[in-house]
Amino acid sequence: MVACPICDKPVKEANINRHIDSECKDLIDDPSPPPTQANNGEKPKAKKSAFFTPTSKRPERSVSFKDEAYDSASSPIVAKQFASTQAPTPKEPPPQPPPSTAPAPVIGVKRPLEQDEQTGSCETKFAPATIPPKKHKNAHAPLAERMRPRTLDEVAGQELVGPDGVLRNLILTDRVPSMILWGGPGTGKTTIARLIAQTAGTRFVEINSTSSGVAECKKLFLEARNEAGLTGRKTIIFCDEIHRFSKSQQDVFLGPVEAGQVVLIGATTENPSFKVVNALLSRCRTFTLTKLTDEDVFAILKRALAREVPGLPTPSASPESEESQGLPEEHSAGYHLLTDDKHALLHYLAAFADGDARTGLNLLELALDLCQRPSTTAEDIKKSLTQTLVYDRAGDQHYDTISAFHKSVRGSDPDAALYYLARMLQSGEDPLYIARRMVVIASEDVGLADSSLLGLATATYTAAEKIGMPECRINLGHCAVALSLAPKSTRAYRGLQAALAALSEPGVAGLPVPVHLRNAPTKLMREMGYGKEYKYNPDYVDGRVVQDYLPEKLEGRKFLGRAHLGDQVDAEVLELDEQVRIASAYDDSAETEVLLNPDGD
């Protein structure tokens, strides 16, 4: 038998926990005392167990499950006030019980409000300690992660998930197919994949090529089948950077995706036509995410700024409004840089991000930190930012940029050619790769119009090989401008292409070489007539002879055209020429002096 530490009533030791759980109402054991221990008819007190403190030190407390005296008992001043207000008057001294049974002074009982007002005590009252606000669970995550859209309506710059988007309609009608999301970094591929699973109410699993192998993928397929069998819920597997998966890893998805056991959403920054196996690509739909415009990135940055600094005034706000909005004075002096001049700095960050929302948010997070430094200016923030050129020497940017450079030279635009050349060199492209391409341009596009440029291009390659960067950039620029300004002729190149096209015709590639043109290094071949009737051109006047060189079946066939360039006419060129003609005629008429006679004629 033990005494309850809350109500001091006797309870069996085995029932003490259930007694406390019942708010001290059940399982109370109060047996009648024997007549010999009646103690003059008074019920003897049950022996108190030393559950927390000795019995002699235990205060008399009422049954309560809320410790209302927590604040009062923790303050010795309040306890002293309570003792002074509750003490009896000295005229009637209280009876002194035996020392062994004297109860301890009542401490920690909260006195009523009326009593506190009557005492009028001017002693110091201690306010309870303030608990610091609990941080959000992802407070330490980067700003780009904290600002991820939570609904499809918050996704910026992608018409696929807009009000009339194709992908949005598939999501809302619960017809989400397996798909490949192809787009640049920071365009929302991962966000859209997560929102698809959230909106459709499906099970969502994320994997990546660096840590997921074939065995793990097969385990996920088994779990997806079990989930569908038990709950009927589909499983979406999101594979980030799917182009990094090996062929065997991609092949393992073929069966489950075709059978509908899982819905695969793959995200890639590379062209899926080259990086995803054709068998898997045919089982998925490919959606292209467009690059975000500067206005889209600016809207994202502005929303992030409003969420991170909610008291930040608008650009037109006065200093008094800044104080009324409660922004700390030490912060308002720096944060206003982000809103001055109609958010000019935010526009700068949006343009700096180059269509990458993640980069823009990272730059904004850096700018927010820099704004807290004293005496920081907008120019200081701009100087602290580092430009990251989007250029992958093994990806689409590599081929797209060199293609743009080649076509700019072909179009005789030296400005565009220099821009793309500088862009490749600044991004670390191999200068020999650019020099090799210019050697090709010298024959393919300039060709017969100026054959000397082939020697210039070859010399440029040698200079780049011997000198190296950064000096060889001057040689590359020289050659690029010379090729751009040179006249163009594709006569030789198109003739070669025509001959190659003829080889695809049936029987043309295997036609026998005419006998008089064949090589005769041995006596047997000479006896067979090889080269017997061949006419050596230098032996004749002007080298002119009558002789067939093509196989008999191709006699009279022409591959080399007469024109250096094509014969098509661009309609826009005609319009431009007409505008130039009209403008020049107007200028000529304005410059003509008109002499008037005295009558004004």
Side-chain angles (χ1 to χ4, degrees), residues 470-504:
E471 289 82 2
C472 73
R473 73 185 190 281
I474 304 172
N475 308 108
L476 296 173
H478 173 199
C479 185
V481 172
L483 292 172
S484 299
L485 298 177
K488 304 298 188 294
S489 171
T490 58
R491 186 182 178 190
Y493 173 71
R494 287 192 293 173
L496 175 62
Q497 292 298 105
L500 291 173
L503 295 180
S504 61

Side-chain angles (χ1 to χ4, degrees), residues 35 37-43:
Q37 299 179 3
N39 194 11
N40 297 328
E42 296 180 1
K43 184 185 295 185

Side-chain angles (χ1 to χ4, degrees), residues 273-513:
S273 301
F274 304 126
K275 300 296 183 178
V276 180
V277 295
N278 292 331
L280 181 59
L281 199 61
S282 66
R283 290 165 171 81
C284 301
R285 296 183 62 178
T286 302
F287 295 100
T288 303
L289 303 185
T290 58
K291 182 178 179 180
L292 300 181
T293 63
D294 291 349
E295 291 301 321
D296 294 332
V297 179
F298 171 74
I300 295 173
L301 299 183
K302 191 174 180 181
R303 186 178 66 202
L305 181 61
R307 182 179 298 182
E308 290 296 304
V309 192
L312 193 63
T314 58
S316 59
S318 61
E320 291 78 6
S321 63
E322 290 185 12
E323 296 178 0
S324 62
Q325 291 180 2
L327 191 66
E329 183 178 355
E330 64 274 12
H331 290 172
S332 62
Y335 287 145
H336 72 87
L337 296 175
L338 298 170
T339 57
D340 286 348
D341 195 14
K342 298 181 180 180
H343 297 88
L345 187 56
L346 280 189
H347 282 288
Y348 178 82
L349 297 179
F352 203 90
D354 193 26
D356 188 341
R358 184 183 295 106
T359 299
L361 290 171
N362 291 338
L363 294 175
L364 176 61
E365 189 172 21
L366 175 61
L368 289 173
D369 294 336
L370 295 176
C371 285
Q372 300 181 22
R373 298 180 181 179
S375 304
T376 301
T377 63
E379 293 301 323
D380 295 335
I381 296 177
K382 292 180 181 180
K383 292 178 182 178
S384 301
L385 304 179
T386 56
Q387 177 69 47
T388 302
L389 295 177
V390 182
Y391 190 86
D392 184 4
R393 292 177 59 181
D396 289 344
Q397 285 290 331
H398 167 78
Y399 298 103
D400 291 344
T401 309
I402 194 64
S403 175
F405 170 75
H406 189 157
K407 293 172 181 175
S408 300
V409 173
R410 179 184 297 155
S412 300
D413 190 339
D415 300 310
L418 289 174
Y419 166 74
Y420 290 115
L421 174 63
R423 181 169 168 176
M424 288 186 289
L425 294 176
Q426 185 69 21
S427 301
E429 183 61 84
D430 184 8
L432 294 180
Y433 172 75
I434 305 174
R436 283 195 298 269
R437 178 56 66 97
M438 288 196 290
V439 173
V440 175
I441 293 174
S443 293
E444 177 183 347
D445 298 292
V446 178
L448 300 177
D450 190 351
S451 300
S452 64
L453 286 182
L454 178 58
L456 174 62
T458 306
T460 302
Y461 179 86
T462 304
E465 185 179 27
K466 299 296 184 182
I467 299 175
M469 285 292 289
E471 289 82 2
C472 73
R473 73 185 190 281
I474 304 172
N475 308 108
L476 296 173
H478 173 199
C479 185
V481 172
L483 292 172
S484 299
L485 298 177
K488 304 298 188 294
S489 171
T490 58
R491 186 182 178 190
Y493 173 71
R494 287 192 293 173
L496 175 62
Q497 292 298 105
L500 291 173
L503 295 180
S504 61
E505 300 176 8
V508 174
L511 292 176
V513 177

Side-chain angles (χ1 to χ4, degrees), residues 114-338:
E114 296 81 359
Q115 179 181 347
D116 184 53
E117 293 176 351
Q118 292 176 2
T119 56
S121 174
C122 60
E123 294 179 357
T124 305
K125 298 181 180 180
F126 294 91
T130 57
I131 302 176
K134 185 178 180 181
K135 292 185 177 181
H136 198 267
K137 62 181 181 180
N138 62 346
H140 299 288
L143 179 61
E145 182 65 26
R146 300 198 302 269
M147 284 300 300
R148 279 194 186 275
R150 298 181 178 88
T151 62
L152 292 175
D153 295 330
E154 295 182 7
V155 179
Q158 300 300 339
E159 294 296 331
L160 285 173
V161 293
D164 300 325
V166 177
L167 187 54
R168 187 190 188 99
N169 182 54
L170 294 174
I171 297 171
L172 297 179
T173 55
D174 195 18
R175 294 185 290 112
V176 179
S178 294
M179 67 185 75
I180 303 294
L181 299 178
W182 175 29
T187 54
K189 300 183 295 296
T190 303
T191 297
I192 291 176
R194 293 178 180 178
L195 291 178
I196 289 175
Q198 176 182 330
T199 306
T202 59
R203 178 170 171 260
F204 187 71
V205 181
E206 287 192 39
I207 61 176
N208 58 75
S209 60
T210 58
S211 59
S212 301
V214 175
E216 182 177 351
C217 293
K218 291 182 178 180
K219 182 180 178 182
L220 292 177
F221 301 151
L222 179 60
E223 294 175 356
R225 288 196 297 269
N226 295 337
E227 181 77 16
L230 294 175
T231 64
R233 192 171 57 156
K234 295 188 297 185
T235 298
I236 291 179
I237 297 180
F238 174 64
C239 179
D240 196 10
E241 303 295 338
I242 193 173
H243 61 272
R244 299 186 183 275
F245 270 51
S246 64
K247 185 178 183 298
S248 61
Q249 288 175 308
Q250 295 185 29
D251 288 343
V252 77
F253 284 95
L254 298 178
V257 169
E258 186 173 10
Q261 296 176 1
V262 297
V263 176
L264 173 65
I265 300 180
T268 177
T269 57
E270 302 293 340
N271 192 332
S273 301
F274 304 126
K275 300 296 183 178
V276 180
V277 295
N278 292 331
L280 181 59
L281 199 61
S282 66
R283 290 165 171 81
C284 301
R285 296 183 62 178
T286 302
F287 295 100
T288 303
L289 303 185
T290 58
K291 182 178 179 180
L292 300 181
T293 63
D294 291 349
E295 291 301 321
D296 294 332
V297 179
F298 171 74
I300 295 173
L301 299 183
K302 191 174 180 181
R303 186 178 66 202
L305 181 61
R307 182 179 298 182
E308 290 296 304
V309 192
L312 193 63
T314 58
S316 59
S318 61
E320 291 78 6
S321 63
E322 290 185 12
E323 296 178 0
S324 62
Q325 291 180 2
L327 191 66
E329 183 178 355
E330 64 274 12
H331 290 172
S332 62
Y335 287 145
H336 72 87
L337 296 175
L338 298 170

Side-chain angles (χ1 to χ4, degrees), residues 476-546:
L476 296 173
H478 173 199
C479 185
V481 172
L483 292 172
S484 299
L485 298 177
K488 304 298 188 294
S489 171
T490 58
R491 186 182 178 190
Y493 173 71
R494 287 192 293 173
L496 175 62
Q497 292 298 105
L500 291 173
L503 295 180
S504 61
E505 300 176 8
V508 174
L511 292 176
V513 177
V515 177
H516 64 279
L517 298 180
R518 296 181 185 180
N519 186 28
T522 64
K523 181 180 179 181
L524 176 62
M525 292 180 176
R526 287 192 294 270
E527 292 176 354
M528 293 178 63
Y530 284 15
K532 182 177 181 180
E533 298 180 1
Y534 172 67
K535 299 176 183 179
Y536 184 62
N537 299 72
D539 291 342
Y540 298 88
V541 178
D542 296 332
R544 298 180 62 190
V545 296
V546 177

